Amino acid sequence: VPAELFALRPERVTVETDARGWPVAYRYRVGGQTLLLDAVDAGGLPAIVHIQALHPGDDHYGAGCLAAVAGAVAAHNAANRWNRALLDNAARPSGALVHEGDKGLPLTPEQFDRLKAELTAGFAGEANAGRPLLLEGGLKWQPLSLSPADMDFLALKDSAAREIATGFGVPPMLLGLSGDATYANYREANRALWRQTVLPLAGKILDALAGSLTPWFADASLRVDIDKVPAMAEDRERLWAMVSAADWLTREEKRAMVGLG
């Protein structure tokens, strides 16, 4: 009889198939060790429960939410690196020091190295943001890049965050992004998260677990107790009010509708 269930991290699992493509074992790698787990035990009963989403091009591993939004995650990380680099470089786009010395003579290697070292030490980093630059000897500062407002990386970050949230089924309003008015308020967004994402996902996982336990527990049934979810309290109150007002239902029918025995 099953005594305990263990969750395996998906990125550590490799599916082993037979000649016909059916999974027969799973390899679980942790560090330098590999554990081979049979799909069924010696009695022919399931030993591994593989819960996956539909992937038209992959029958064994399925499609994960993170894979669907990989491009948006890469864009969001690139925007973060851009903003950090912008802050490290005195919080402004890069430019060029133009040398206008006598007779157009270039700087000597020693002068060039000293000037570069002074710029790095005195004007790079957040501690030196906005520090005035003192130029001499025919040097002139010439901005090269566009301003951060023109590049609009903040809007790119927000757009990528919305795509990531949508891929995981999370209302973007819950991320606190400005300009999102899809829901009337945060309470409605929270209820939508539970109704459209959390409860369906939990139902899929619990149904798969209950189905794998049927060889030992024929009447096994796993479900979420919605009465214990604070975000669904208003829906339950509305259901109870409608059922209580239905005079044409018997007492037993009303108890069945609200999930009581």
Side-chain angles (χ1 to χ4, degrees):
V1 176
E4 192 168 356
L5 298 174
F6 296 91
L8 304 181
R9 292 180 54 173
E11 70 274 11
R12 296 179 178 175
V13 180
T14 303
V15 181
E16 300 289 334
T17 60
D18 57 14
R20 298 181 299 170
W22 290 98
V24 294
Y26 297 85
R27 292 189 180 273
Y28 190 71
R29 294 181 174 86
V30 180
Q33 300 181 355
T34 301
L35 180 63
L36 184 63
L37 306 173
D38 294 329
V40 295
D41 59 16
L45 299 176
I48 299 292
V49 182
H50 187 188
I51 306 173
Q52 64 187 37
L54 176 64
H55 193 314
D58 193 337
D59 297 329
H60 296 122
Y61 293 97
C65 296
L66 190 59
V69 296
V73 172
H76 195 275
N77 292 337
N80 284 332
R81 290 192 296 268
W82 164 269
N83 292 333
R84 177 56 189 269
L86 192 65
L87 184 63
D88 291 341
N89 289 280
R92 59 172 59 87
S94 60
L97 278 178
V98 181
H99 180 246
E100 298 179 350
D102 295 337
K103 302 178 182 178
L105 294 178
L107 295 174
T108 63
E110 293 78 10
Q111 290 175 326
F112 179 82
D113 294 338
R114 182 176 62 85
L115 181 60
K116 183 177 179 181
E118 291 179 356
L119 285 175
T120 303
F123 300 96
E126 58 270 19
N128 297 318
R131 187 175 181 179
L133 180 64
L134 178 61
L135 301 176
E136 60 180 349
L139 292 175
K140 182 178 68 173
W141 175 260
Q142 179 65 45
L144 294 179
S145 301
L146 296 175
S147 66
D150 295 331
M151 298 302 290
D152 205 8
F153 269 81
L154 183 59
L156 173 63
K157 256 187 85 174
D158 292 347
S159 177
R162 291 187 184 94
E163 292 184 23
I164 297 172
T166 303
F168 281 89
V170 177
M173 184 179 183
L174 295 180
L175 301 182
L177 301 176
S178 59
D180 288 332
T182 306
Y183 300 91
N185 47 46
Y186 281 92
R187 183 175 61 182
E188 285 296 324
N190 190 36
R191 292 171 57 191
L193 173 64
W194 278 91
R195 288 197 305 264
Q196 301 177 12
T197 302
V198 177
L199 292 180
L201 181 59
K204 179 178 181 178
I205 295 175
L206 295 179
D207 289 344
L209 293 178
S212 65
L213 295 174
T214 51
W216 299 276
F217 309 100
D219 299 329
S221 176
L222 301 176
R223 63 180 179 85
V224 177
D225 188 358
I226 302 180
D227 293 337
K228 300 297 180 63
V229 180
M232 305 301 296
E234 293 187 6
D235 292 350
R236 297 294 296 174
E237 292 176 0
R238 190 180 301 109
L239 175 62
W240 280 65
M242 290 189 300
V243 171
S244 300
D247 298 334
W248 47 275
L249 292 175
T250 64
R251 181 172 178 271
E252 289 72 17
E253 290 173 338
K254 292 181 179 180
R255 291 177 59 87
M257 290 187 66
V258 298
L260 300 177

